Amino acid sequence: MTDNNDFPTETVLSDGSVYRVVPVETGVRAIRAWAEHPWPMSPAQALALRDRLGWTSSPTKEWMFTTNHDLEEKDASFTTIKRGQTVGSFNMSLTSRIPKDVMDEAVPIAERAFDAYVEALTAVYGRGARSRSRGVLSVKWTLPSDTLVNIGTIGWVIDVDVNSPALNEAARGEAQYFAEIADENDPAR
């Protein structure tokens, strides 16, 4: 099954397990729904967006949910900041879990899928900033709203994070704080 992608969205691996990749059009639609939602977003608004997308909450943790992307697991979640009053970030898996002994079989599929996602998101948001850290290849886009979209891959895994403007502001503040501490503790000063 390819669903107009340059990679199979469902592959039976040598041990019989099935490796699934969310089709690019479906994944990008979900990414855009979260990234382009007006910020700040309350947890209630996040749950309403989840419902609008037809996703299902975990019975015990409403901030964790299963999408309709056929990965057959809880594959998305959001976190809150400011004492639970504001959504700080959203995370979604774009690939399914598979047994360790067949992971290498899925890597070439994940590489093609990652490239297809980057191409599709670049068509929407322009060129992103590509980086590699600790083996994770990622591409980040900062939107005019200061929302950050970050898609990353390592091995057979592809996931995406959408960070709110408030979370980005907090991260900048933290970075500045640690930079100032480093300057104060620099013996050359």
Side-chain angles (χ1 to χ4, degrees), residues 24-42 45-55 65 67-69 76 78 87 89-92 94 117 121 124-125 143 145 147-149 160-165:
V24 172
E25 183 178 313
T26 303
V28 168
R29 188 178 323 115
I31 293 165
R32 291 187 71 185
W34 287 89
E36 297 171 17
H37 189 279
W39 296 93
M41 183 188 310
S42 70
Q45 289 170 316
L47 295 173
L49 180 55
R50 174 211 59 205
D51 293 345
R52 191 181 86 209
L53 292 167
W55 300 352
F65 30 91
T67 67
N68 55 357
H69 300 159
F78 67 85
V87 172
S89 65
F90 163 75
N91 173 271
M92 180 174 62
L94 298 170
Y117 267 101
L121 290 167
V124 174
Y125 298 128
L143 308 187
S145 65
T147 302
L148 178 78
V149 175
V160 66
D161 293 301
V162 176
N163 292 348
S164 71

Side-chain angles (χ1 to χ4, degrees), residues 3 22 47 102 111 126 160 173 180:
D3 194 52
V22 176
L47 295 173
V102 292
E111 289 170 348
V160 66
E180 289 170 2

Side-chain angles (χ1 to χ4, degrees), residues 53-121:
L53 292 167
W55 300 352
T56 307
S57 271
S58 161
T60 57
K61 298 176 181 168
E62 69 180 355
W63 50 269
M64 292 185 70
F65 30 91
T66 303
T67 67
N68 55 357
H69 300 159
D70 295 327
L71 296 184
E72 299 182 357
E73 59 195 61
K74 290 181 192 87
D75 54 351
S77 63
F78 67 85
T79 60
T80 58
I81 57 176
K82 298 183 180 182
R83 296 187 178 106
Q85 297 175 8
T86 302
V87 172
S89 65
F90 163 75
N91 173 271
M92 180 174 62
S93 297
L94 298 170
T95 53
S96 63
R97 294 184 183 135
I98 53 175
K100 287 183 181 181
D101 55 335
V102 292
M103 289 178 181
D104 290 343
E105 294 176 41
V107 171
I109 299 166
E111 289 170 348
R112 291 196 324 263
F114 179 79
D115 290 343
Y117 267 101
V118 169
E119 182 179 325
L121 290 167

Side-chain angles (χ1 to χ4, degrees), residues 118-140:
V118 169
E119 182 179 325
L121 290 167
T122 297
V124 174
Y125 298 128
R127 186 176 176 163
R130 186 177 285 261
S131 65
R132 185 178 293 273
S133 176
R134 298 182 192 144
V136 177
L137 175 61
S138 66
V139 180
K140 297 177 184 178

